[in-house]
Amino acid sequence: GDNVLVDSRPAHEVRLDAFAIRICAVSNAQFQEFIDADGYQDERWWTALGWRWQQGKQNTAPAFWSDPNFNHPLQPVVGIGWYEALAYTRWLAAESGVAWRLPTEVEWETATRVCVPKARYINSAERGIGRPVAVWGVGEPDDGGVYHLLGNVWEWTSSRWGRNWQSLDYRYPYDPADGREDDDGSHARVMRGGSWFDPVSAANPAHRGRYLPGSRGSNIGFRLAYSI
């Protein structure tokens, strides 16, 4: 329903620099490489607060890593907080020489509007599948060959929501210069797209979900972007 969009107003134009977004979310198989490279033990990849969080938690893998509902190599990695997603992007950028990062929420929404996801392939709660499907190859891709921008798993973006889950401090119009794209701090971060666990109403290109950066859900993953 329209009530999910109350935090997405007013409609406004945003000027964007050119960017690319990956055709699918990061898979368990891809995230395994970060684990194998000791990413959880390497402070270089973490923000200051992310490292403090990790030192307290001593994670060695995502939540649900041993759960057969969520750990197929081709399923999207879930059970990772924003701190972990960001650490992965930093590690992969160093490893690959490509400046991979999380998309901003505006880049994510732009990609979704351009790619026009096909409603019949959205994995939302109504489908009754009860878990994420493979990051690619299930159903037809959207225009541009992109899979599951809507549904399947929520996707972390780089953008701040507010100091905590309740307070929307970074309202619209979107202003990239107001601190919302700083990657420090413990701010709640915007996630987009809805998921297998949520009603299809959440799978709206404009809907701004959010979660705390150290919180890990079985319906939250991420995909990568880079500036062109």
Side-chain angles (χ1 to χ4, degrees):
D2 193 50
N3 61 325
V4 302
L5 299 181
V6 67
D7 297 320
S8 304
R9 300 188 178 107
H12 60 289
E13 291 187 2
V14 180
R15 182 176 179 83
L16 288 181
D17 294 329
F19 70 97
I21 197 166
R22 285 288 283 270
I23 64 166
C24 54
V26 173
S27 68
N28 284 320
Q30 290 169 321
F31 200 85
Q32 179 77 57
E33 298 174 359
F34 175 77
I35 297 172
D36 293 345
D38 291 327
Y40 277 104
Q41 284 75 48
D42 195 332
E43 186 177 357
R44 287 179 295 167
W45 314 129
W46 299 77
T47 64
L49 280 179
W51 185 243
R52 188 193 304 173
W53 172 84
Q54 166 59 3
Q55 291 294 93
K57 298 290 186 183
Q58 293 293 307
N59 293 309
T60 57
F64 313 103
W65 197 243
S66 302
D67 187 327
N69 283 315
F70 302 106
N71 68 0
H72 188 282
L74 287 181
Q75 281 179 300
V77 64
V78 296
I80 61 162
W82 185 87
Y83 293 134
E84 288 159 278
L86 188 69
Y88 175 92
T89 67
R90 291 175 166 191
W91 165 79
L92 186 64
E95 189 77 11
S96 66
V98 177
W100 293 112
R101 56 177 175 78
L102 293 173
T104 68
E105 63 169 318
V106 172
E107 288 171 337
W108 189 96
E109 183 172 332
T110 299
T112 307
R113 293 189 182 283
V114 168
C115 293
V116 194
K118 297 175 173 63
R120 65 185 178 279
Y121 296 125
I122 294 173
N123 181 15
S124 63
E126 289 85 352
R127 297 287 297 278
I129 296 172
R131 63 183 183 278
V133 298
V135 294
W136 59 275
V138 177
E140 291 179 17
D142 307 329
D143 295 343
V146 180
Y147 283 93
H148 306 303
L149 277 164
L150 295 180
N152 215 34
V153 292
W154 288 99
E155 297 181 2
W156 287 115
T157 73
S158 57
S159 306
R160 288 176 174 178
W161 166 272
R163 286 156 297 186
N164 54 48
W165 190 86
Q166 292 88 352
S167 60
L168 173 53
D169 300 319
Y170 294 93
R171 299 180 177 276
Y172 281 174
Y174 176 88
D175 178 4
D178 67 4
R180 70 181 69 205
E181 295 303 337
D182 295 354
D183 60 15
D184 60 353
S186 59
H187 298 74
R189 299 282 170 166
V190 174
M191 57 186 193
R192 294 294 197 117
S195 80
W196 63 269
F197 182 77
D198 296 278
V200 73
S201 59
N204 183 307
H207 177 38
R208 308 172 77 196
R210 77 277 194 189
Y211 218 35
L212 295 174
S215 296
R216 307 160 106 203
S218 63
N219 60 337
I220 306 172
F222 69 111
R223 82 176 64 212
L224 303 169
Y226 67 85
S227 300
I228 297 174

